[in-house]
Structures are given as structure tokens and as C-alpha cells.
Amino acid sequence: LMNIRRQAAALQENSLSEEIPFQIFNKLDQALFAGFLKNSVFLDVSRLDSDISGVTYTHRWGPNPEVKRISIIFNQDAIRHGRARDIVATLIHHMIHAYFLVACGEQKENEMDYGRLNHGLQFGKIMLAIRRLSAAHGRELTTLDYGHRLSSRHHYADDYYRPWTRDEVEHEDGNKWYFSHCHSDVRGPSDSEVDKWYKNVCQPMLDLPPSIRGLEVEVYNVRRHELVKRRRAHLGSSSKSIEFIFRDRPVLVGREKIERFPSVMRAFDKAGSRFLRVHKEVSEDTFMRLLEFLHTGSYPPDPHVFAGAAVDRDVRHKAPPIIKPQNISVEAVVVLADIRFAKLGLYMGFEDCKAYALDRMNTYGVLYEDPVAVLKEIYRGCELDPDLKVWARMFLTRCPAASSPGYYHGDSLGHSTVEPPNLLKLESQQGPYRSRFLNAIEVSGALENDVNKARAELKTAGWY
């Protein structure tokens, strides 16, 4: 960088100031942007308002209609009469704008807030990095700033030039979306604000999948219950959203959606980032339920429909469901889905999710799906949730309040008028579950231990 600055100074000493941008552009591109701008930028010089250092135009919107690339147009007066270091700083300033147009795609009319051509935090980070680099290799390029220090001249040899006033400039170009507005008095964020933003927002991204740096991101469509791709630039400031990383795919959610769930907020705060990886054990169906839960506060089916359909009034109070013969007309994974959602809460630290799932599991009253599959899901994996284990023991001992062990005729399920607890149904030699239930116990020591506890409780109550 120091050699490039010396070359610029030498050109000026030889009265070749107007050649400086053209002579050093490629070298600056290699030194500062790793050649990222090669063949992407058209340079030119033109007469501009004396308050403007130059203008960077998005693709195809430059003053020359034949140019389809990004255009950087320098202020002719400033280039002719500015100091070499100011010209270098001005060129770098506009190269930063061009860098964002290359890296993030061309500017769109409805994407001004995305910041490709403004002087916000992202501009400040690159600007400060270059200034610090220049200080480490010689003298700091202090003239590189949000605004500029180029001198203005009001007279030319061949005519008179009247610069616009600041109010006129704002009126003329303030709402134009396709070029930068690089006036002398532009004020950007402070160094500390830039460093804090980079540490909290950008630095964590270096350890995340490259997909998070794409121009598109998936968002949840509530009406269709599916993920759709949207351009990031259309979704507003990143400070107003968070992103889940699900199987290396970023999924954006508005921050206001998670503010209703303190445990989800705490998980992001603990991560120290607006990105949070979804645990590898979470299935896509369960993740979609999470998105629906965050957006609507619930997910289907409504558990109260099952409770309302229960025959016995007893099964409508909050308690684990009573096993009933499997009904193929009923969705097969109602309670299974809740267990998986509760385990998501365990894996991710989302207590709100686990509490909601457990509440649902105590609302159905009856269970028409496979009870062995329900138990196997609870005891699957190395990380078992104590609250789910408590629910499982209550499930095993659950029976209608009207049932009494004194009127139960052993294993004759087809002849007894008393409905036994769920554990006895699972163990019944005449029932459809015994073989798979015993296999599940053999596989899981934790399940075997809880079955023994439930059996002891039922034995005390007189069921054995």
C-alpha cells in the first residue's frame, strides 16, 4: 500500500493527477480486495458538484448507457487539484462501495436499506481495516473517511462554475437509489460502534456454513406451512431478525417472533450471536413445528379435540392418556410429535417448547397411536429428559378413575369389565404390544428401571 501511495505522489509531481485513479486501481484491487473487483468496474472522470468526491453507480445505471458494469465517476475538479493522498483515499472509498456491489449483487430500488451504497457499519469496517493496515505499513491514511477532504474550486480557466448548495444537493439526489451519495460532511458510526458490531454480528459467521453469506435465505410461510426463499436485501436490517442454522441451511425469523418466548431469547443471548445451530437430533418435521410455534404460538392438531371426544369425563383432566385400541383413521404421530418437540426443547434449551409439549401430552385423555413407539421415543438417545421420564412413569400407571383392582380379573382383557392401567395392557399376553414392549425394555435400562418403579407402585395399589 505504501508503494502505491508513493506511485500516486510521483504521478502528481509529474502533473499527471488525473491519471492516478487509472494507474493505481488494479494495484489497489490486488492489495486490498484480492482482485475481487477485476473486470467489474468502469472508471471515468466528470464535472460534479464540488461537495461530491465522486459517484459509484450500480450495474448498468452509470451515465454512459453503453456500460453494463459498476461505474465510478470521479470529480474532475477534485482530481485535478486535490493532494495525492486525498485522491488515493477517494478511490479506495469508492472501491469499497464497488466491493459491496460485487459481493452482494447489484442495488435494487427497494433494497437501499441493505446498505451496499451507504456509509454504515459494513462500510466502516472495511474502511477502518484499510486505515489500520496503512498505519501498520507506514503512515495511516487518515484522509480515508466517511466523508472527504478534497478541495473545491469555484473557477475554471475556461468558464465559471457555481457549486450547488447543500440543500440543493439533497433535493437533487437524496432519493436516488442507484448511486452513492458521497458528500464531504457524511458522518458514519464511530470506531467502537463498528468494532462492537463486527464482533457480535460478523465474527461468529466465520464458524458457520458458507450458505449464511448467500444473497438468499429461507423464511417460514405461515399460510402454506413451508419454507420459501427470499432475497436478504428485501428483509430489512439484520438487527431485527435471528437465524436458525438447520442442516447448514439458514432460516430467518423476525426477532419479534421470539420475544414472546424468554427461553428462546436466552439461548440466542447465550450464543452471543444472531445465529443458532439446530441440534442434529431435530428432524425436519419437528423443526417446522418449531417455526409454526414461534409464528403462531401453537401447532396442530388441537389437543382439546381429543379431550373433548373422550367418552369418560375422567380422561379430560390433565394427565397422561389412556391406551385405547389403535385407530388407523387418527393421525399416527400426535403424541410422538409432542415428545419430539419436548426433546427439541431439551436439546436447544427452549423450556417454552418443552412446557408446551408436556401440556399437550397431558391433554389428549386417550392414546390411539402405538404406545410402544411413544415409550421408545422418550428413552431413545443418551440425553434423557427427567420430565419426560416422570411423564412416562405416570403414563404406565395411568388408568380410569373408575377402575379398581378388586374387580380386575387378571389377564383376561376380553372378559374383564375393569380397564387396567396402561402397564398391564402393555404386558398382557393377549394384547398386541407385549413382545415389542419387552424388547424395548431389553434395549433401554432406563426404561426397564422406570417400568419396575411403575410396577411396584401398581403392586402396592393391588393390581398385581
Side-chain angles (χ1 to χ4, degrees):
L1 184 57
M2 178 56 69
N3 290 336
I4 296 172
R5 294 169 68 178
R6 287 171 178 162
Q7 181 185 358
L11 287 168
Q12 187 170 60
E13 289 175 3
N14 292 316
S15 301
L16 295 173
S17 293
E18 290 189 54
E19 290 296 315
I20 292 176
F22 304 94
Q23 293 290 333
I24 69 172
F25 179 89
N26 287 336
K27 293 179 181 179
L28 283 174
D29 182 30
Q30 287 295 330
L32 302 178
F33 300 97
F36 206 65
L37 305 182
K38 184 178 180 180
N39 299 325
S40 298
V41 178
F42 171 78
L43 299 179
D44 203 356
V45 176
S46 182
R47 285 189 178 178
L48 301 172
D49 166 45
S50 60
D51 186 52
I52 299 174
S53 64
V55 184
T56 302
Y57 292 86
T58 192
H59 309 69
R60 297 184 297 277
W61 280 86
N64 186 340
E66 300 297 321
V67 175
K68 308 304 179 185
R69 294 176 291 169
I70 299 163
S71 296
I72 296 178
I73 310 300
F74 295 100
N75 187 328
Q76 185 182 65
D77 187 30
I79 295 296
R80 282 179 178 175
H81 306 289
R83 296 171 299 182
R85 64 174 180 268
D86 296 328
I87 297 172
V88 173
T90 296
L91 176 56
I92 294 174
H93 178 111
H94 288 278
M95 290 175 76
I96 295 174
H97 286 312
Y99 171 80
F100 286 115
L101 289 172
V102 174
C104 305
E106 61 185 279
Q107 176 96 317
K108 302 288 186 181
E109 187 170 5
N110 59 345
E111 297 178 359
M112 288 184 68
D113 291 341
Y114 195 55
R116 296 177 182 89
L117 291 172
N118 69 19
H119 301 88
L121 292 162
Q122 64 272 36
F123 182 96
K125 177 56 185 175
I126 295 182
M127 182 192 75
L128 289 176
I130 294 173
R131 280 175 49 172
R132 289 164 181 168
L133 179 67
S134 68
H137 293 82
R139 186 177 179 183
E140 182 177 356
L141 189 60
T142 56
T143 52
L144 176 59
D145 208 339
Y146 298 104
H148 66 85
R149 306 178 192 177
L150 292 168
S151 60
S152 61
R153 291 173 62 90
H154 304 288
H155 298 275
Y156 292 93
D158 54 349
D159 63 355
Y160 177 81
Y161 172 66
R162 181 186 69 85
W164 296 342
T165 66
R166 182 66 175 155
D167 290 340
E168 288 174 318
V169 171
E170 292 286 4
H171 177 74
E172 289 289 335
D173 69 12
N175 61 352
K176 297 293 178 63
W177 58 269
Y178 51 86
F179 61 80
S180 63
H181 306 279
C182 303
H183 302 285
S184 60
D185 61 351
V186 172
R187 298 290 179 265
S190 66
D191 294 5
S192 61
E193 289 173 327
V194 171
D195 290 336
K196 181 180 178 181
W197 167 79
Y198 181 80
K199 180 180 179 181
N200 293 337
V201 176
C202 299
Q203 202 162 20
M205 296 171 66
L206 300 177
D207 298 323
L208 295 173
S211 57
I212 66 166
R213 297 187 283 277
L215 297 180
E216 293 185 325
V217 65
E218 291 183 282
V219 297
Y220 179 69
N221 185 301
V222 177
R223 185 173 59 85
R224 300 203 301 256
H225 184 56
E226 66 181 19
L227 294 174
V228 295
K229 286 190 175 182
R230 296 277 305 279
R231 285 179 62 86
R232 288 184 177 276
H234 294 169
L235 299 173
S237 171
S238 60
S239 64
K240 297 180 181 179
S241 64
I242 53 88
E243 293 185 36
F244 292 102
I245 309 300
F246 179 71
R247 297 178 182 174
D248 289 347
R249 294 157 46 199
V251 179
L252 184 143
V253 176
R255 187 170 289 275
E256 77 280 0
K257 300 297 182 185
I258 69 169
E259 288 176 347
R260 297 181 296 163
F261 306 103
S263 63
V264 180
M265 289 287 291
R266 285 195 299 271
F268 277 93
D269 291 340
K270 184 178 179 180
S273 168
R274 58 181 294 274
F275 297 94
L276 190 65
R277 285 186 181 273
V278 178
H279 195 279
K280 63 181 180 180
E281 292 292 333
V282 176
S283 69
E284 185 160 359
D285 286 344
T286 303
F287 178 60
M288 293 298 290
R289 286 189 187 92
L290 170 65
L291 295 176
E292 185 166 11
F293 178 67
L294 294 177
H295 283 78
T296 68
S298 64
Y299 58 81
D302 183 356
H304 296 91
V305 173
F306 289 80
V311 176
D312 290 332
R313 183 177 181 181
D314 167 66
V315 300
R316 298 183 191 180
H317 76 273
K318 293 282 186 178
I322 294 171
I323 297 174
K324 297 293 183 180
Q326 286 182 253
N327 187 340
I328 60 173
S329 66
V330 177
E331 186 177 351
V333 292
V334 176
V335 177
L336 267 177
D338 291 332
I339 294 170
R340 290 164 183 160
F341 197 66
K343 293 178 80 170
L344 174 147
L346 170 68
Y347 298 142
M348 304 288 294
F350 295 172
E351 289 87 355
D352 298 282
C353 297
K354 191 177 83 169
Y356 176 75
L358 284 168
D359 183 72
R360 288 173 61 99
M361 292 162 63
N362 287 324
T363 303
Y364 297 111
V366 292
L367 179 74
Y368 292 112
E369 59 196 281
D370 183 359
V372 178
V374 166
L375 290 170
K376 288 174 68 175
E377 183 63 33
I378 290 175
Y379 290 90
R380 181 179 61 83
C382 300
E383 192 175 0
L384 303 182
D385 183 75
D387 293 323
L388 282 175
K389 291 182 65 184
V390 169
W391 184 91
R393 290 196 298 272
M394 294 174 63
F395 170 73
L396 290 170
T397 60
R398 182 81 167 96
C399 65
S403 295
S404 171
Y407 297 95
Y408 177 59
H409 304 305
D411 197 26
S412 303
L413 290 179
H415 304 286
S416 177
T417 58
V418 175
E419 188 172 357
N422 287 337
L423 177 56
L424 272 69
K425 294 178 182 179
L426 292 167
E427 293 178 328
S428 171
Q429 293 185 0
Q430 298 181 17
Y433 310 116
R434 180 180 175 84
S435 176
R436 291 188 301 113
F437 178 59
L438 295 179
N439 287 337
I441 291 175
E442 288 183 10
V443 171
S444 172
L447 174 58
E448 181 181 17
N449 185 52
D450 285 338
V451 167
N452 289 335
K453 290 180 181 179
R455 188 181 291 117
E457 183 179 336
L458 292 174
K459 186 175 182 179
T460 301
W463 285 100
Y464 284 92

